[in-house]
Amino acid sequence: MSDILEPVPPVVSTEPPPPEKKPRRWGRYILYVLATLGVLAIVLVGAAFYKANQGPVLVKIDEAASIDESMTRNYGKYSAERKGWMYVDQNNQPFLVRVVQQARIEAVGASDELYFVTSGIPLSGEATGFYGVFQIRSDGKGGDGLVEISDPVRELYEVPLKPENVHFEALSETLWGWVIKVQSGLEPKHDRVTVSNVVLAPHGESIAELAKFRAAADADPGKDCAQANAEYAEWEKLVERYTKRSPDATDEEVAAGAEAVQHQPVRCEHARWTYATAPVNGPFPGPLTVTAKGSQYGAPMEPKRWKLMFDNKAFVYNVPEELMYEDQYGEEE
């Protein structure tokens, strides 16, 4: 029988245990910060993408409210009794101002644009009036703000504008403007009456005059055209003698000459210059085609046609001298 072995007791170390290692917490903080920054970056990129896809705010214009605000600011209070705005100019002359043309342009994917023309009728009995031109559009700052481009009191004319005197035209793909007919002289049986076309359009922060050219001329001397021409020739001779008078001319001669100059006789006239705009094609206005017809001084006018080309740098049409504005006395501007 074999010997029974005694169990061997475990060896117990008398060395102290090594110190327990603490976890490095600053590493976690870095991970948290990086994760937070990543989330913020994703949010910012998403917001920018959303805003880019939303596009700018497209402004829709309330015509009635915008016109009323602009008219009140530029001219004064509205008179329900007179159905217009009451304006007093720098000379303390009262005018009744009304809107004679308005149009709101609604383009796909773009903000509205509002255009309107006003006519100031004198209340003092004087035969003078003015007109104003206005554009209201987005201020381009991305919100719903509006800006006004205008010329509220533009020139004085004997005949106030009426709606039929204003033509609103598309001059290019990006430019709308007005062709306004202004009149000098009142009655063809008493005076020579001329009408001119004034082409206006917004340009930058102002209203630009693109052209001014003849539209019509009428005169009825109430007598045979040949006789009227003969009387006009005599008048020209009298005026020439007056302008070339000698220093020792009598007071009676000077007075007679001065009186003659003030009473220019009229000759038979019924002339028309019609215009046509070019088809809209591109960002700049195309040419205006002007055609002459009718009669002057008892004889038919020679048919003629002009093309008024647009100067993009100067932002004007090139108008030949023979078409330039002419008032009732035949004086050009």
Side-chain angles (χ1 to χ4, degrees):
M1 187 173 179
S2 61
D3 295 333
I4 298 174
L5 299 177
E6 293 292 332
V8 179
V11 178
V12 179
S13 174
T14 60
E15 296 289 333
E20 184 179 351
K21 294 183 178 181
K22 297 182 180 180
R24 298 180 178 180
R25 295 183 180 180
W26 59 268
R28 294 183 190 176
Y29 297 149
I30 293 177
L31 291 177
Y32 292 155
V33 170
L34 291 176
T36 302
L37 291 176
V39 172
L40 287 175
I42 293 173
V43 170
L44 291 174
V45 171
F49 181 77
Y50 176 78
K51 185 176 181 180
N53 283 306
Q54 287 295 103
V57 176
L58 299 183
V59 179
K60 298 301 176 184
I61 297 176
D62 184 327
E63 283 187 67
S66 295
I67 289 176
D68 181 68
E69 189 276 332
S70 180
M71 295 290 285
T72 301
R73 175 164 37 83
N74 284 285
Y75 299 119
K77 293 183 178 181
Y78 179 80
S79 171
E81 180 183 358
R82 294 181 180 270
K83 298 181 179 179
W85 285 262
M86 304 303 297
Y87 172 72
V88 178
D89 69 5
Q90 295 179 346
N91 298 319
N92 208 32
Q93 296 297 315
F95 291 82
L96 176 65
V97 187
R98 290 171 175 159
V99 176
V100 294
Q101 176 272 342
Q102 68 184 73
R104 182 160 59 99
I105 305 301
E106 300 177 273
V108 177
S111 295
D112 289 353
E113 293 182 2
L114 177 62
Y115 298 77
F116 63 97
V117 177
T118 63
S119 177
I121 304 171
L123 298 178
S124 60
E126 296 183 6
T128 55
F130 68 83
Y131 67 93
V133 283
F134 297 78
Q135 181 204 37
I136 296 177
R137 57 174 172 77
S138 167
D139 61 12
K141 296 180 179 180
D144 58 357
L146 298 174
V147 63
E148 176 188 296
I149 308 299
S150 64
D151 190 351
V153 181
R154 184 179 175 82
E155 303 188 43
L156 293 175
Y157 289 97
E158 293 178 286
V159 181
L161 286 186
K162 298 178 181 178
E164 58 266 27
N165 301 135
V166 182
H167 296 269
F168 188 57
E169 304 275 10
L171 301 176
S172 75
E173 290 179 349
T174 57
L175 183 67
W176 289 81
W178 305 272
V179 180
I180 296 177
K181 296 184 181 296
V182 295
Q183 182 174 323
S184 176
L186 299 175
E187 173 53 55
K189 291 185 178 181
H190 300 129
D191 301 298
R192 183 172 185 259
V193 176
T194 62
V195 178
S196 295
N197 292 310
V198 183
V199 186
L200 303 166
H203 182 51
E205 300 302 314
S206 63
I207 302 294
E209 182 178 300
L210 280 59
K212 195 172 187 180
F213 58 94
R214 300 180 189 183
D218 287 283
D220 180 6
K223 60 187 70 174
D224 180 76
C225 294
Q227 181 184 351
N229 289 342
E231 292 179 0
Y232 188 86
E234 288 297 321
W235 175 82
E236 285 186 311
K237 292 179 182 178
L238 181 60
V239 171
E240 184 178 4
R241 288 197 299 270
Y242 170 70
T243 55
K244 295 180 179 180
R245 67 188 182 277
S246 63
D248 57 350
T250 65
D251 292 342
E252 290 76 10
E253 291 174 335
V254 173
E259 179 71 14
V261 170
Q262 298 299 321
H263 294 84
Q264 178 178 341
V266 298
R267 294 171 287 175
C268 301
E269 195 168 10
H270 183 73
R272 295 293 181 270
W273 292 266
T274 58
Y275 78 91
T277 57
V280 172
N281 184 20
F284 297 109
L288 295 175
T289 302
V290 180
T291 305
K293 61 181 179 180
S295 63
Q296 282 186 310
Y297 320 135
M301 294 174 61
E302 179 184 354
K304 195 169 183 180
R305 180 172 295 180
W306 300 263
K307 270 197 173 182
L308 312 187
M309 305 305 295
F310 189 74
D311 184 334
N312 297 335
K313 292 184 178 180
F315 207 73
V316 294
Y317 287 96
N318 294 316
V319 180
E321 185 176 353
E322 55 193 329
L323 286 180
M324 287 185 177
Y325 165 80
E326 183 184 40
D327 67 14
Q328 67 187 101
Y329 304 110
E331 297 180 0
E332 296 181 358
E333 189 176 77

